[in-house]
Amino acid sequence: MTFHPTKTPTILNVDDNDGARYAKTRILQSAGFEVIEAANGTDALEIVHEQHPTLVLLDVKLPDINGIEVCRRIKANPDSSMVLVLQTSAALTGRADKIRGLEGGADNYLAAPIEADELIANVNALVRMRQTQVELRDSEERFRQITDNIDDVFWMFSVPDGALVYVSPAYPALWGRSVEALRGRPASWLDAVHPDDRLRMGQRWEQLALMPHYDEEFRLSGTDGKTRWVRDRLFPVRGQRGDVYRVARVTSDITARKEMEALLRTADRNKNQFLATLAHELRNPLSPIRNAAALLGTEGDSSGERQARAREVITRQVDHLAHLVDDLLDVARISEGKIVLRRDDVNLGTVVNQAIETAGPLITARRHRLAVKLPEQEVWVSGDPVRLAQSIGNLLHNAAKFTPQGGDITISASLRGEHHVRISVHDTGIGIAEDNLPRIFGMFAQVDVPPDRAPEGLGIGLSLVSHLLELHGGRLMAESPGIGMGSTFTVELPLLRVASIAPTMECHPAADSGGSGMRVLLVDDNIDAMEMMGFLLAEMGYETCTTSDASQIEGLALHHRPQVIVLDIGLPGIDGYEVARRIKQNPALSGIRLVAHTGYGSPEDRKRALEAGFDAHLVKPAELDDLERALKG
Ligand code: ADP
């Protein structure tokens, strides 16, 4: 039942004697109460049930149910137990009657003769008492709702003995210990405090009477092995004389805030480190550019050559700067969601080739060996060819950068089920510690610099690659058995289709073992001559492939992996010397022996061929012996 102290109290006046009932009604109404009447117990119970009067003025003697029984039923029903009952009796006026009435649950008992002022004073006293009770109950209810429903722990201890007066139900969840254990030994809350904080908090509590207030932060060691941070506040509670006789305490879980603070600190440290690296990276190219600019102004014998070198340096360094700025812009575009892929059907072999071209100079400069392993078929994916080549180029560049000179780098692609293709870049370099593996994809993340390289890069490459691959519906994974044990970065992309390699190349298996399984690629536009030579070489034990399409020579060589390429220099529309140069500059192909087979036989032609990178020079038509010697080197 709800009690409305502001409403005029309603009194149910129950008496079977019409005259007496009327008199009491008049008295109560004159005192400002609203009055309802009932002449028997059954009606009285029904009205109580329906109208919830504030007080029932209940005569003991009723025609149907005895007034004491009516009172008992009112009090026994939870719905009406808060209704006040003032029992009255005209006849049963003895002490024993009064006691029986009160024991039946009545809030008071008045025996005749009942004077008007006595009746009103009694009703007022009971209404006041009920009002106080209800206010108290409401206030306790509100307190309970707060303390029961908030994750913070509310406590109250008496001072100075430290006895526990109250603890809210959040205690077990935050402390990982039972309320019973705490009640058994109130100081046991300290047991869960992290050993490094326990002494400090213990000392604080020893000074409870002297300093009954604090605002502290400390750690709790959970039984689950996790550490939680809490903020613990203590407030003095003063008695009427102003003395502190209790302390109120609120403990809140601030683990999330602490973790956020740690993240912010790391982000801030990373930002500062990034700015320092950025300054370093931007400044690095400036000094060679300044020196080169100075060289441009010099005169003298070798000034022409020097100026050419200076121009080269400036171009290279400006390219490097432009690359840095491009990366930075890409990062900004990605974080604003503004990168748009120019999608197309992309041949993975072409992408891998472009990536090798980009990273080639560093791989060569650091004297790494590069192995390329591509599937037999052509693998097609849907994506932005420039972004895909940039991503794989970045991984190759890292492999070259983080591998001490003369290492081995392998790039391989393989189908993964029916729907995916994986491209792995493996190196034999400095490797990555297990702890650092999850970090390196983060923005501005860098691990220690290997001893043989200066700090270089902004730590945004991998983050960029992994975002670009996500945009392609793919992902980037990193593995390393540990420091010094190399790394493998694997790109997984959704597969578009596979196709068998276009038959621009024809192959003949070796007919005997004379060529010791050597693979030879013949490139010539004179198909008849080439076919004849192909058959001959196959007969001699060489596995021989032929093509007249020199424009695809690099792609074919990547798939076929020949040990020797025999190339006609004078091919229509293509410069054989240029092809030779490209092959020799491609770290994946530079190990292949190049034999020029040409109609140009002058010493100058021979010299030019060797300068372009050919390992041997044969004049058409070559004798078989010469050819075999040239193949074997
Ligand atoms: P950056 O190369 O500019 O430092 P990246 O995002 O490309 O930035 O790489 C982040 C970090 O990951 C590098 O600083 C390096 O510590 C580590 N890392 C990347 N690739 C390799 C690799 N192939 N071998 C070892 N560590 C690598």
Side-chain angles (χ1 to χ4, degrees):
M1 189 201 98
T2 40
F3 186 90
H4 303 286
T6 46
K7 251 177 62 181
T8 311
T10 312
I11 313 285
L12 172 61
N13 179 10
V14 191
D15 199 327
D16 62 334
N17 181 320
D18 292 344
R21 193 175 68 238
Y22 176 73
K24 286 187 274 187
T25 294
R26 290 304 303 266
I27 294 168
L28 292 166
Q29 281 174 336
S30 68
F33 295 113
E34 259 180 41
V35 183
I36 330 164
E37 293 191 340
N40 58 57
T42 312
D43 289 354
L45 285 171
E46 200 176 310
I47 293 172
V48 165
H49 183 65
E50 282 170 3
Q51 302 195 26
H52 294 292
T54 315
L55 179 144
V56 184
L57 188 61
L58 185 60
D59 195 39
V60 171
K61 195 179 78 51
L62 293 174
D64 51 351
I65 316 169
N66 177 307
I68 299 214
E69 174 59 17
V70 173
C71 174
R72 203 193 55 72
R73 290 195 200 170
I74 292 175
K75 294 293 183 182
N77 185 344
D79 189 41
S80 56
S81 64
M82 287 292 279
V83 173
L84 291 160
V85 176
L86 176 54
Q87 200 99 61
T88 58
S89 176
L92 305 167
T93 56
R95 252 183 94 241
D97 299 318
K98 188 169 182 176
I99 291 171
R100 199 152 32 105
L102 291 174
E103 299 231 300
D107 295 284
N108 206 356
Y109 191 100
L110 283 179
I114 306 168
E115 298 297 335
D117 51 358
E118 189 187 3
L119 176 63
I120 290 167
N122 259 281
V123 170
N124 273 335
L126 287 181
V127 169
R128 264 198 319 274
M129 181 193 78
R130 176 54 34 97
Q131 193 164 332
T132 316
Q133 275 176 351
V134 167
E135 278 169 8
L136 196 66
R137 197 198 56 186
D138 280 357
S139 134
E140 275 197 355
E141 180 71 11
R142 281 195 297 273
F143 173 73
R144 205 179 52 74
Q145 283 171 354
I146 291 174
T147 57
D148 281 10
N149 293 294
I150 289 184
D151 295 337
D152 297 350
V153 182
F154 292 85
W155 337 50
M156 191 160 277
F157 293 86
S158 61
V159 173
D161 59 359
L164 179 71
V165 179
Y166 171 81
V167 67
S168 68
Y171 174 79
L174 188 56
W175 241 261
R177 281 148 199 263
S178 74
V179 172
E180 289 67 40
L182 181 72
R183 286 198 207 290
R185 190 166 62 86
S188 67
W189 64 264
L190 256 176
D191 300 348
V193 175
H194 191 281
D196 293 351
D197 299 330
R198 198 178 298 150
L199 184 66
R200 171 168 61 94
M201 291 313 296
Q203 284 171 346
R204 272 319 271 103
W205 271 69
E206 277 167 20
Q207 301 167 343
L208 200 59
L210 282 175
M211 277 200 284
H213 50 80
Y214 66 63
D215 187 345
E216 296 276 354
E217 290 181 357
F218 58 83
R219 283 156 295 176
L220 290 175
S221 307
T223 39
D224 54 1
K226 286 198 191 122
T227 301
R228 283 172 159 187
W229 272 98
V230 293
R231 179 182 180 192
D232 193 24
R233 280 173 294 166
L234 198 68
F235 309 91
V237 179
R238 295 183 193 280
Q240 284 182 345
R241 291 190 304 278
D243 55 322
V244 175
Y245 79 113
R246 282 180 176 175
V247 280
R249 179 180 182 192
V250 187
T251 315
S252 323
D253 189 342
I254 54 164
T255 313
R257 193 194 86 199
K258 284 282 182 188
E259 283 170 358
M260 193 55 76
E261 281 172 7
L263 277 180
L264 284 177
R265 269 197 302 278
T266 312
D268 192 50
R269 229 186 359 259
N270 282 352
K271 183 200 76 190
N272 290 337
Q273 199 181 336
F274 168 71
L275 287 176
T277 318
L278 180 61
H280 175 260
E281 283 293 305
L282 292 178
R283 192 180 294 268
N284 254 350
L286 294 182
S287 118
I289 289 175
R290 182 190 286 146
N291 293 340
L295 264 182
L296 284 179
T298 58
E299 287 172 10
D301 288 350
S302 52
S303 66
E305 194 187 322
R306 265 189 265 147
Q307 287 178 2
R309 284 278 298 130
R311 269 194 294 276
E312 261 173 41
V313 166
I314 292 175
T315 312
R316 197 166 49 242
Q317 296 298 338
V318 168
D319 282 353
H320 177 66
L321 273 177
H323 190 80
L324 275 182
V325 174
D326 281 349
D327 269 6
L328 282 173
L329 287 178
D330 274 354
V331 166
R333 279 191 211 113
I334 276 191
S335 57
E336 289 168 20
K338 278 195 191 151
I339 282 223
V340 183
L341 297 182
R342 289 171 206 272
R343 276 190 188 267
D344 205 345
D345 289 6
V346 182
N347 181 346
L348 203 66
T350 316
V351 164
V352 168
N353 235 337
Q354 272 158 7
I356 294 174
E357 250 171 50
T358 327
L362 186 66
I363 297 178
T364 312
R366 291 179 64 77
R367 296 202 290 280
H368 297 311
R369 286 168 297 275
L370 176 70
V372 183
K373 294 178 188 162
L374 294 178
E376 286 298 309
Q377 315 97 308
E378 256 176 21
V379 177
W380 290 79
V381 295
S382 159
D384 185 328
V386 176
R387 295 305 194 177
L388 287 177
Q390 174 189 359
S391 302
I392 296 169
N394 217 314
L395 299 182
L396 277 173
H397 188 88
N398 275 353
K401 186 162 89 171
F402 294 104
T403 300
Q405 298 225 358
D408 283 300
I409 300 173
T410 310
I411 177 163
S412 54
S414 58
L415 298 178
R416 173 110 187 138
E418 287 180 9
H419 304 293
H420 291 96
V421 56
R422 282 189 171 178
I423 306 114
S424 292
V425 176
H426 172 78
D427 63 54
T428 52
I430 61 165
I432 303 164
E434 200 181 338
D435 293 354
N436 285 325
L437 273 176
R439 273 201 326 117
I440 54 172
F441 293 168
M443 195 68 88
F444 310 137
Q446 282 182 315
V447 185
D448 299 336
V449 175
D452 75 331
R453 79 166 177 112
E456 183 201 316
L458 293 174
I460 53 182
L462 288 181
S463 163
L464 203 58
V465 171
S466 102
H467 276 108
L468 286 174
L469 293 173
E470 271 167 32
L471 289 179
H472 281 87
R475 59 187 176 137
L476 175 66
M477 296 162 277
E479 291 162 89
S480 172
I483 301 265
M485 302 179 75
S487 317
T488 307
F489 285 81
T490 302
V491 170
E492 187 174 276
L493 286 169
L495 182 65
L496 191 60
R497 61 187 138 86
V498 288
S500 40
I501 289 187
T504 51
M505 185 165 72
E506 206 172 288
C507 293
H508 315 278
D512 78 14
S513 58
S516 56
M518 213 186 224
R519 285 187 303 277
V520 180
L521 177 62
L522 297 178
V523 190
D524 202 322
D525 63 331
N526 183 337
I527 298 187
D528 288 345
M530 182 171 63
E531 264 189 354
M532 286 308 106
M533 189 187 254
F535 287 136
L536 261 177
L537 287 175
E539 284 303 311
M540 289 157 67
Y542 296 95
E543 187 187 323
T544 317
C545 291
T546 57
T547 181
S548 56
D549 187 356
S551 63
Q552 290 194 31
I553 193 163
E554 284 167 273
L556 294 176
L558 276 176
H559 279 285
H560 180 54
R561 315 292 310 149
Q563 279 88 16
V564 187
I565 298 177
V566 180
L567 175 67
D568 179 5
I569 296 184
L571 294 171
I574 194 147
D575 178 352
Y577 300 111
E578 181 51 34
V579 173
R581 250 179 245 114
R582 277 217 312 268
I583 290 177
K584 285 294 171 184
Q585 274 164 16
N586 185 331
L589 304 176
S590 57
I592 299 177
R593 191 169 162 74
L594 273 185
V595 177
H597 190 214
T598 165
Y600 308 107
S602 72
E604 286 74 41
D605 292 329
R606 178 181 298 272
K607 184 165 170 269
R608 199 169 160 214
L610 296 182
E611 271 171 8
F614 281 102
D615 299 284
H617 184 261
L618 291 177
V619 183
K620 281 184 177 175
E623 295 289 330
L624 265 189
D625 284 353
D626 292 340
L627 179 60
E628 205 165 11
R629 251 197 310 279
L631 293 181
K632 292 193 167 161

